[in-house]
Amino acid sequence: MVLDVLSMQVLVAGGDRIIAQRLERMLADGGFERVVTALEAELVLEAVAGGHPDLILLDLEVGGRDGLEVLCDLSRVDGYEVAPPVVVVARECSRETVRRALNYGAADLVIWPVDQGELALRVRNHLKMRQTALVLGDRLHGAEADLERERLESVERLALAAEARDRGMGAHLRRIELLTGAIARRLGWSPDECRRVARAARVHDIGKIAIPDSILLKPGHLSEQERERMRTHAAIGADILAGSRSPVLQIAEQIARSHHERWDGGGYPDGLAGERIPIAARVVAVADAFDAMTSERPYRAAGSLADAVAAIAAESGSQFDPGVVSAFLEIDHDAQAAVLAACGSTDAADRERAGV
């Protein structure tokens, strides 16, 4: 993202109308194409929040308020990855004025009346520095996105290695991803949130890599000792995923640890209940249970779609979060079944029919 600095937006904020008009004219004469003015504090904040200026020329008086107090308010405006520089316009140049302005976060200070050429050079230089910061920010975001993808691929390969001992588990991971995304959409989550939780759901059982085949693939019922060993996979999975700066892997850690917790507090490993269970884990708990009931396992045959839906509904408020169950029941499971039966098709039309 490279912008001509003359096309970047400058906000003249506060001061009396005559000074503001003169500043606006000086900038226009200097070639700056997008100069706007706001005199009252509320209008300044609205202009910053809605217009996203690239530089602010801030008078020390803003509609009867101290301009530096307004500067503090500006620092709390959301929506900026790189905050715009603020150049304070002062009518006197005492050491105290300079110190206060810089202490409040001003990037620079000019004394009124100011030479037009000096003003244009200062504004141009600050806009160039902002432009550089924006470009570097874009590159950093791109590098972080690449790194996150690499981390996710590594963790997913480990999850696949854990599941490869059980035939069909690759398809299971894909089905969990699709169903988790579908439930999240019904809950009204943003597209970004749906994408993250769906991707994170793929590694919910990564801790099974530490469970022996004799337990994981046992065709009969597990003994109490074997069941306790199997339950350790939740905490182990969370430990494997812990400490990442990736938003997806942070969600995945919560899911891995808590997707076997129950709404009534009878789950494991921590015995959490209700909303103390992370919401992402509550969503995956429903998706995982549904897929388990409708998939063949070494110890039992697959159940019917209708029976699985009824079983999930029956556990609303006991095993599962009632809100998540309601969202789950809104999904067209007949349409979704055709997709999930195809081992998690990635076809866009199939995904849309699945509600993902």
Side-chain angles (χ1 to χ4, degrees):
M1 176 180 60
V2 178
L3 297 173
D4 179 353
V5 294
L6 295 178
S7 67
M8 298 173 79
Q9 187 183 99
V10 177
L11 171 65
V12 178
D16 63 50
R17 188 173 300 277
I18 293 176
I19 292 178
Q21 288 175 345
R22 288 183 63 185
L23 286 170
E24 188 172 357
R25 172 52 56 190
M26 291 167 72
L27 290 169
D29 289 345
F32 295 95
E33 302 167 2
R34 298 174 61 209
V35 183
V36 295
T37 300
L39 300 180
E40 301 297 325
E42 293 76 12
L43 297 178
V44 170
L45 294 172
E46 288 177 10
V48 173
H52 283 72
D54 294 291
L55 181 141
I56 302 168
L57 275 178
L58 178 68
D59 198 287
L60 282 180
E61 290 186 14
V62 183
R65 285 189 62 190
D66 184 339
L68 297 182
E69 292 180 1
V70 176
L71 179 54
C72 286
D73 293 339
L74 292 176
S75 68
R76 292 189 285 270
V77 174
D78 294 328
Y80 286 90
E81 293 188 10
V82 179
V86 177
V87 177
V88 167
V89 179
R91 296 185 179 91
E92 54 92 13
C93 189
S94 68
R95 288 181 180 272
E96 178 61 16
T97 299
V98 174
R99 186 193 67 76
R100 287 186 68 224
L102 296 177
N103 186 53
Y104 275 78
D108 200 355
L109 182 143
V110 297
I111 306 303
W112 183 262
V114 62
D115 176 76
Q116 177 178 324
E118 177 188 345
L119 178 67
L121 285 173
R122 286 177 183 265
V123 170
R124 185 187 297 265
N125 287 342
H126 282 295
L127 288 174
K128 284 182 178 179
M129 286 189 286
R130 174 168 172 75
Q131 185 182 75
T132 300
L134 290 170
V135 170
L136 290 175
D138 284 347
R139 291 177 180 173
L140 178 60
H141 284 312
E144 288 178 343
D146 290 342
L147 181 59
E148 180 171 352
R149 279 193 294 272
E150 291 174 4
R151 286 172 176 161
L152 285 171
E153 287 174 5
S154 298
V155 172
E156 286 178 354
R157 288 179 185 276
L158 185 59
L160 285 170
E163 303 284 9
R165 296 172 291 169
D166 192 350
R167 292 181 61 188
M169 283 298 107
H172 165 68
L173 296 184
R174 180 62 176 152
R175 291 193 300 268
I176 293 297
E177 178 183 12
L178 291 172
L179 186 51
T180 297
I183 296 171
R185 283 185 60 186
R186 296 312 185 284
L187 288 170
W189 295 8
S190 71
D192 242 15
E193 291 169 328
C194 292
R195 178 189 62 81
R196 285 177 177 171
V197 73
R199 191 76 185 269
R202 287 178 60 86
V203 296
H204 67 288
D205 272 342
I206 193 172
K208 285 184 177 178
I209 200 167
I211 306 301
D213 286 355
S214 59
I215 296 176
L216 191 64
L217 304 180
K218 185 175 179 178
H221 292 291
L222 299 180
S223 68
E224 185 59 33
Q225 185 177 11
E226 289 170 332
R227 189 176 295 108
E228 287 303 312
R229 179 68 183 276
M230 176 67 87
R231 288 181 171 184
T232 65
H233 82 273
I236 291 171
D239 288 342
I240 291 171
L241 297 166
S244 175
R245 294 172 59 186
S246 159
V248 175
L249 292 182
Q250 289 172 358
I251 296 170
E253 179 188 351
Q254 294 179 347
I255 291 171
R257 184 170 190 91
S258 301
H259 70 284
H260 286 295
E261 300 287 0
R262 291 175 54 101
W263 184 256
D264 61 13
Y268 66 89
D270 301 309
L272 301 179
E275 294 186 358
R276 291 185 61 202
I277 306 168
I279 181 60
R282 286 181 256 155
V283 171
V284 173
V286 171
D288 190 35
F290 176 75
D291 191 67
M293 285 185 275
T294 55
S295 302
E296 190 171 335
R297 289 290 185 264
Y299 46 86
R300 58 156 175 77
S304 73
L305 192 72
D307 286 347
V309 172
I312 296 291
E315 289 294 327
S316 177
S318 51
Q319 182 174 353
F320 304 119
D321 177 345
V324 174
V325 172
S326 293
F328 165 81
L329 294 175
E330 292 175 6
I331 297 170
D332 184 344
H333 292 290
D334 288 328
Q336 189 175 61
V339 180
L340 303 187
C343 299
S345 168
T346 58
D347 180 81
D350 283 347
R351 287 169 61 87
E352 181 62 28
R353 285 194 295 273
V356 178

